[in-house]
Amino acid sequence: MEKLTKDLINYFENTSEAIQQVLFVAEVKHPIWDDYLTIIEKATQQIATPIGLLPKEYSIAFIGVHAKTLITGKRDSIGFLITNFRVLSQTDMSGLLKAEKAIITSFTQTNTTEALNESIWESFLEKNKLSVSQEKKVAMQTALKDLLTLLMPKLQELNYLPEKIVKTSDIKERIIELGLEDVVKSYLDNEKKMKKFSEKYAIPNIRFGIVDKPLFGGVYGLVLTPNGITSRELMENSVTCSWDAIKANLATTTEKKDVINAGKENHTIPPYYAEFVGAIIILINEIAHGEVLI
């Protein structure tokens, strides 16, 4: 790791000022920002802590900017936290609410720098809705590519990265991997509303669900059981599909952002979770294929 640190310092000290503006290397004095240690610490706390650091994981660098909430003055780290195991891409700021968790890209012994860089950057552009100047975007993209080019061969030489990333078959862990832990709740975590859904529509053995109850109107949303999924849109009847039906006709998106088609039926989720439809579809299809156990 000593050689890696020297290479990082050499790159950092000799790169352009535009890149130095957005790059912070752990434990290396910054030529521009006096509060560089605070910036690294804040990035680690805001980006890595909500996900949880892995054993023996540590921050190597942060590439990014701070987004400021006008009302509170709170500053949020937006960009890429690079550790010795992965890149955590943060595209959201908390503001007055809870920020969406960072996108995780884990390193393996077989990763190529080009594929990693392309995947991470495209995902960042797709998810990021915050205002970042074009100049800073270019600097961030260049710094990301340069650091991955520098780091990956050195980390792979240490031979402690996994050969490949194996998806878990445990549904609770998979929900976390997909960033759905605040969306798809277990029966016990949302028991009051799940129980109403179960009793109202005669759905036994609900394991997980995306269920809500407005002030006026019955309980609605989508639930997962060992037999399949059941959903209900407000003011409509419930719809049920078996896992076999979904396996034959996998879940897909529809023209409506809060509606999923699965098993040839449309299933509605609460509209404020529409941005999570892609991850929900992945989970449903993996359960239907037996890759995730419920």
Side-chain angles (χ1 to χ4, degrees), residues 37-225:
L37 287 176
T38 302
I39 291 172
I40 285 278
E41 289 170 3
K42 186 182 288 290
T44 301
Q45 180 184 22
Q46 293 178 336
I47 299 174
T49 301
I51 292 172
L53 285 169
L54 301 170
K56 298 182 180 180
E57 183 177 25
Y58 56 86
S59 298
I60 293 176
F62 170 62
I63 302 168
V65 296
H66 275 162
K68 184 177 181 180
T69 306
L70 294 178
I71 298 175
T72 64
K74 183 177 180 293
R75 305 182 81 86
D76 289 90
S77 305
I78 305 298
F80 311 101
L81 184 69
I82 302 178
T83 79
N84 56 320
F85 285 116
R86 51 192 178 169
V87 176
L88 306 177
S89 308
Q90 184 63 56
T91 62
D92 189 26
M93 61 187 292
S94 59
L96 298 176
L97 303 172
K98 191 175 182 180
E100 186 177 337
K101 292 181 180 178
I103 304 163
I104 301 172
T105 304
S106 299
F107 298 147
T108 70
Q109 288 294 123
T110 55
N111 279 143
T112 64
T113 300
E114 294 80 7
L116 268 180
N117 179 66
E118 183 178 349
S119 172
I120 293 169
W121 185 251
E122 285 184 358
S123 179
F124 179 80
L125 289 182
E126 180 183 344
K127 296 280 288 183
N128 179 56
K129 301 296 188 294
L130 302 173
S131 177
V132 180
S133 71
Q134 185 60 26
E135 181 184 8
K136 285 206 165 40
K137 279 185 181 178
V138 170
M140 288 169 64
Q141 184 179 18
T142 303
L144 177 66
K145 181 180 179 180
D146 289 348
L147 257 65
L148 288 175
T149 301
L150 182 68
L151 289 171
M152 283 311 302
K154 302 289 192 304
L155 293 174
Q156 288 169 340
E157 284 174 11
L158 296 173
N159 204 35
Y160 64 74
L161 298 174
E163 285 295 321
K164 63 179 181 178
I165 304 302
V166 179
K167 288 188 302 186
T168 179
S169 62
D170 182 276
I171 188 168
K172 291 182 180 178
E173 293 179 9
R174 188 61 178 139
I175 285 170
I176 294 172
E177 287 181 353
L178 290 168
L180 293 172
E181 63 269 33
D182 297 326
V183 180
V184 181
K185 299 289 189 178
S186 71
Y187 184 92
L188 291 177
D189 286 339
N190 194 13
E191 185 172 5
K192 186 175 180 180
K193 292 173 184 175
M194 297 276 200
K195 186 176 182 181
K196 286 183 180 293
F197 197 102
S198 175
E199 293 173 348
K200 178 74 174 177
Y201 307 110
I203 308 298
N205 207 12
I206 294 175
R207 297 287 177 82
F208 293 87
I210 312 162
V211 173
D212 201 1
K213 186 182 184 304
L215 187 60
F216 301 102
V219 65
Y220 76 108
L222 182 148
V223 297
L224 310 176
T225 78

